[in-house]
Amino acid sequence: AVPATTAPMSKGSTQPSTARPVPTPSPLNANLDSRVLLVYQTLGADVMRGIPAAFKAARLKEPTVTSWKKSKSLSGPLVATAKVGRPGDPVSKMRAFAGLVNGAPRNSVDIAVMTFDYRDVTADTNILDLFDIYTDTMTSLESANPDVIFLYATAPVSTSNSWRQVDRSSVKGLTDNIARERFNTLVRQEYSATGRLFDVASVQATLSADRVSAKEHESQWYFVMNPNLSKDGSRLNDVGSLRVARSMMELVAAAAKA
């Protein structure tokens, strides 16, 4: 999995999540043993397609991946998926995510994550307002559902012309991808220390362990998607789906063990 950054928590942060043990990510090496809720619009469809492939590639039992509705009648570990909200309206997605978790039957969810999509964060987005709503939503959910482990997520990035290969440490945070990096920088600062940050953008940009695809803006680098992981500049191809899904499921496994 992509290593978590070590940025400090933002000023005034009082996330309940910090009271939990910090997970230690490791390669996918065990069958799924939790009930996971994945809430999404577009990106999640690519991730859920890659989950069985990630377990198969690791020579593990492929987990059940089903809809949230169907999952309620099933027992045991699984990944339940729910497509919610409106495209390009992340607030509607967060509200729906909160509604699903708060209304979930007892013991139906062990780990929950909501992924953003490409249209959720653009050059027109008020980044600070969106970040405040996101942190308020997560804080409220954690307070109301202490038995559920929540993962946090950065917004996905898209490919870009004239990208360069740079050291991962060069990307400090700053079109649409610049706005996404600004939002993602805030998310990393807030949640990296929990060990439960699903850094989608970082995974998408990865070329090798220490190299990423990036562009420069005002002397700062920002992530763009490795073009070898995309089929159209935004959506993930099979290789990208496998890589991002594997990263998420490694994080799920680590969080479940912590």
Side-chain angles (χ1 to χ4, degrees):
V2 174
T5 59
T6 55
M9 298 291 283
S10 60
K11 183 178 179 181
S13 176
T14 57
Q15 295 298 326
S17 57
T18 57
R20 291 185 182 275
V22 177
T24 302
S26 60
L28 192 60
N29 58 13
N31 294 328
L32 180 67
D33 62 0
S34 304
R35 294 178 67 89
V36 181
L37 173 61
L38 170 62
V39 171
Y40 72 98
Q41 260 286 329
T42 304
L43 177 71
D46 292 339
V47 173
M48 58 190 276
R49 188 176 80 247
I51 290 173
F55 279 83
K56 183 177 181 179
R59 298 184 178 179
L60 297 169
K61 179 182 177 182
E62 295 180 32
T64 297
V65 180
T66 188
S67 69
W68 170 241
K69 183 177 180 180
K70 292 180 179 178
S71 74
K72 296 177 184 179
S73 63
L74 301 175
S75 61
L78 51 75
V79 179
T81 64
K83 185 175 181 178
V84 302
R86 296 181 293 276
D89 184 356
V91 175
S92 71
K93 188 185 300 180
M94 284 185 266
R95 288 173 178 164
F97 177 49
L100 282 180
V101 176
N102 288 333
R106 186 174 179 82
N107 299 322
S108 61
V109 179
D110 298 316
I111 299 174
V113 57
M114 185 204 80
T115 58
F116 289 98
D117 289 304
Y118 311 96
R119 291 168 290 185
D120 287 342
V121 182
T122 69
D124 296 325
T125 301
N126 187 316
I127 299 300
L128 292 178
D129 282 355
L130 178 60
F131 176 70
D132 285 344
I133 295 170
Y134 182 57
T135 55
D136 286 348
T137 299
M138 299 309 294
T139 298
S140 176
L141 280 169
E142 289 178 315
S143 296
N145 303 277
D147 294 333
V148 177
I149 297 172
F150 290 91
L151 306 184
Y152 316 100
T154 57
V157 293
S158 55
T159 59
S160 181
N161 293 327
S162 303
W163 63 275
R164 287 177 56 187
Q165 181 179 153
V166 300
D167 290 334
R168 184 179 296 279
S169 60
S170 299
V171 180
K172 302 297 183 183
L174 256 190
T175 81
D176 287 347
N177 277 337
I178 294 173
R180 292 164 187 151
E181 188 61 36
R182 287 173 174 156
F183 175 76
N184 290 344
T185 295
L186 294 173
V187 173
R188 293 182 187 114
Q189 289 174 340
E190 186 74 8
Y191 296 115
S192 285
T194 68
R196 287 183 278 115
L197 175 61
F198 179 27
D199 197 340
V200 177
S202 180
V203 179
Q204 290 178 307
T206 295
L207 298 169
S208 63
D210 298 314
R211 306 291 284 179
V212 295
S213 52
K215 289 191 72 172
E216 190 175 18
H217 174 72
E218 296 180 355
S219 300
Q220 292 195 12
W221 294 95
Y222 61 92
F223 288 126
V224 299
M225 195 193 310
N226 173 355
N228 292 325
L229 303 183
S230 178
K231 60 183 180 182
D232 61 4
S234 296
R235 298 293 300 272
L236 297 170
N237 59 23
D238 289 344
V239 175
S241 293
L242 173 61
R243 182 176 294 182
V244 176
R246 182 180 62 211
S247 179
M248 189 186 84
M249 297 314 294
E250 289 172 349
L251 191 58
V252 164
K257 293 177 182 177

